[in-house]
Amino acid sequence: MRKYFIVLVAMVTMLAIPHDALARTQKIDDRHYVITKKPKARKKKANKIDFGIMKCTAYCDCSECSSGYGRHTQSGTTAEAGRTIAVDPDVISIGSKVEIDGQMYVAEDVGSDVVGDHIDIFFDSHSEAEEFGTKYKHCFVVRGKNE
């Protein structure tokens, strides 16, 4: 009778244990098992490549800033404030996602004055572009899922 009672208790206990808990049990001795903690899911971090401090300037769609190209970019997209940047494609590939001060941009354009460690950020108006001026900011190229 005692054997049946132990088997019954074991079966009831197993029904109450989550299905993945058996894989997480640890034997303490012949009679005692402990369910180990479920491992926490790791958050996938985006793979950032540090490009260091880069010169950041600003441009808009006026003829003075964009040499008559307006909002047409090298990649074929329409330039948009808060998204589009111009880069040197020998340094940063067209289509790359670039993080500047926590803001995510897409390298969609090139510029005749954008050479080496230089990024040109697109703004909607010439006054905004002039107000931004020239700044030196820490830049990262972000690879993988980062949206």
Side-chain angles (χ1 to χ4, degrees):
M1 181 71 160
R2 185 177 166 113
K3 274 186 181 180
Y4 295 115
F5 178 74
I6 292 173
V7 170
L8 181 62
V9 169
M11 288 174 62
V12 169
T13 305
M14 290 180 82
L15 292 174
I17 296 175
H19 70 283
D20 65 337
L22 294 177
R24 299 181 285 116
T25 57
Q26 181 179 6
K27 187 174 182 177
I28 295 177
D29 58 37
D30 290 337
R31 294 178 56 197
H32 298 93
Y33 290 85
V34 174
I35 298 173
T36 58
K37 289 183 179 179
K38 186 174 184 177
K40 291 182 180 177
R42 292 184 183 175
K43 291 181 181 177
K44 291 184 180 179
K45 292 185 179 177
N47 186 13
K48 292 183 183 181
I49 300 168
D50 188 348
F51 270 68
I53 304 297
M54 296 182 81
K55 179 181 180 180
C56 294
T57 54
Y59 75 111
C60 67
D61 60 352
C62 76
S63 59
E64 183 182 336
C65 290
S66 64
S67 304
Y69 288 102
R71 288 182 176 258
H72 301 288
T73 66
Q74 177 72 24
S75 65
T77 62
T78 300
E80 189 178 304
R83 183 193 74 204
T84 303
I85 57 173
V87 297
D88 180 347
D90 292 333
V91 178
I92 297 173
S93 302
I94 297 295
S96 296
K97 291 177 177 41
V98 180
E99 183 182 318
I100 305 168
D101 283 345
Q103 168 76 34
M104 198 65 68
Y105 295 92
V106 180
E108 298 178 323
D109 208 358
V110 298
S112 57
D113 293 336
V114 181
V115 180
D117 293 344
H118 181 184
I119 291 176
D120 216 1
I121 301 171
F122 183 82
F123 285 88
D124 281 326
S125 70
H126 191 75
S127 60
E128 288 176 307
E130 280 186 328
E131 186 179 320
F132 182 85
T134 299
K135 298 178 180 178
Y136 291 85
K137 301 206 173 260
H138 205 142
C139 301
F140 299 89
V141 172
V142 181
R143 302 208 186 273
K145 295 183 180 179
N146 51 50
E147 267 89 329

